[in-house]
Amino acid sequence: MGKPVNQTYRLSATFNAPLDYVFAWCTDFREDDNKMTGSKTRRHILERTKERFVWVVNYKDGGKEKEGIRAVWLHPPDSWHLDTCGDGREVGDYKLTRLGKTKTRLDMKFVETYDGPEEVEDKKEWEADGKEHWKIYKKALEADFKAGRPAS
């Protein structure tokens, strides 16, 4: 293996909902959130405060059991930060921008640290996969907002 390599990935999504609703919805982490995208990942929340969420994630990758920790620091009203450890090294920054009374853009930046260049995921594939997940989240968020359901 070579030297560790950092790769930056970026995603963006626009929601037809006000910024405060989008923030509350996106940062209301639940143990069954994975069902939304059809993931078989298991999540167990360890800590839930106004400032931070921490959970353990378990899943299989290539037939091997994997476990990792996710910690999200909330920065209301418009941003949050993700740190991961155990099953990879990823940090993520999420920033909301008000585009009007009921329109909000979410810009995301992720930095993955790989053990060597041979492990680096293809940028276009990684971002395309992320976009597909955020299309699902967008549809669910907007349906909740339209139906008048609380964001958290």
Side-chain angles (χ1 to χ4, degrees):
M1 258 190 239
K3 286 175 32 175
V5 176
N6 288 335
Q7 176 66 53
T8 301
Y9 304 98
R10 295 180 189 276
L11 298 170
S12 186
T14 302
F15 303 95
N16 292 308
L19 187 142
D20 60 338
Y21 189 89
V22 174
F23 180 85
W25 193 95
C26 287
T27 60
D28 182 36
F29 301 100
R30 298 172 187 255
E31 291 190 348
D32 65 350
D33 281 348
N34 59 324
K35 291 179 182 176
M36 210 178 304
T37 61
S39 170
K40 295 183 191 233
T41 303
R42 294 176 316 280
R43 177 188 286 183
H44 176 69
I45 295 179
L46 302 174
E47 179 181 349
R48 180 189 301 259
T49 69
K50 288 182 183 178
E51 296 84 29
R52 182 174 64 190
F53 281 84
V54 179
W55 66 89
V56 176
V57 63
N58 299 95
Y59 59 97
K60 284 189 177 179
D61 184 22
K64 293 183 181 180
E65 286 288 332
K66 298 275 188 164
E67 182 173 83
I69 301 289
R70 307 291 184 263
V72 174
W73 279 263
L74 305 176
H75 304 288
D78 62 1
S79 65
W80 59 100
H81 176 82
L82 165 74
D83 282 312
T84 71
C85 68
D87 62 331
R89 297 176 305 273
E90 176 182 4
V91 296
D93 288 300
Y94 300 75
K95 175 73 172 134
L96 296 171
T97 303
R98 189 180 318 273
L99 299 178
K101 192 172 181 179
T102 59
K103 197 165 197 165
T104 305
R105 185 180 70 237
L106 171 60
D107 293 303
M108 298 162 273
K109 176 184 172 187
F110 302 93
V111 178
E112 297 261 3
T113 302
Y114 297 96
D115 288 333
E118 67 283 351
E119 291 185 359
V120 176
E121 292 185 57
D122 180 79
K123 188 175 177 91
K124 285 183 181 175
E125 287 178 25
W126 193 101
E127 290 176 349
D129 187 50
K131 285 177 187 176
E132 288 305 310
H133 279 92
W134 279 96
K135 281 182 189 176
I136 295 166
Y137 302 142
K138 172 185 170 72
K139 185 176 179 181
L141 183 153
E142 290 178 350
D144 286 350
F145 177 68
K146 190 174 180 180
R149 287 189 279 275
S152 57

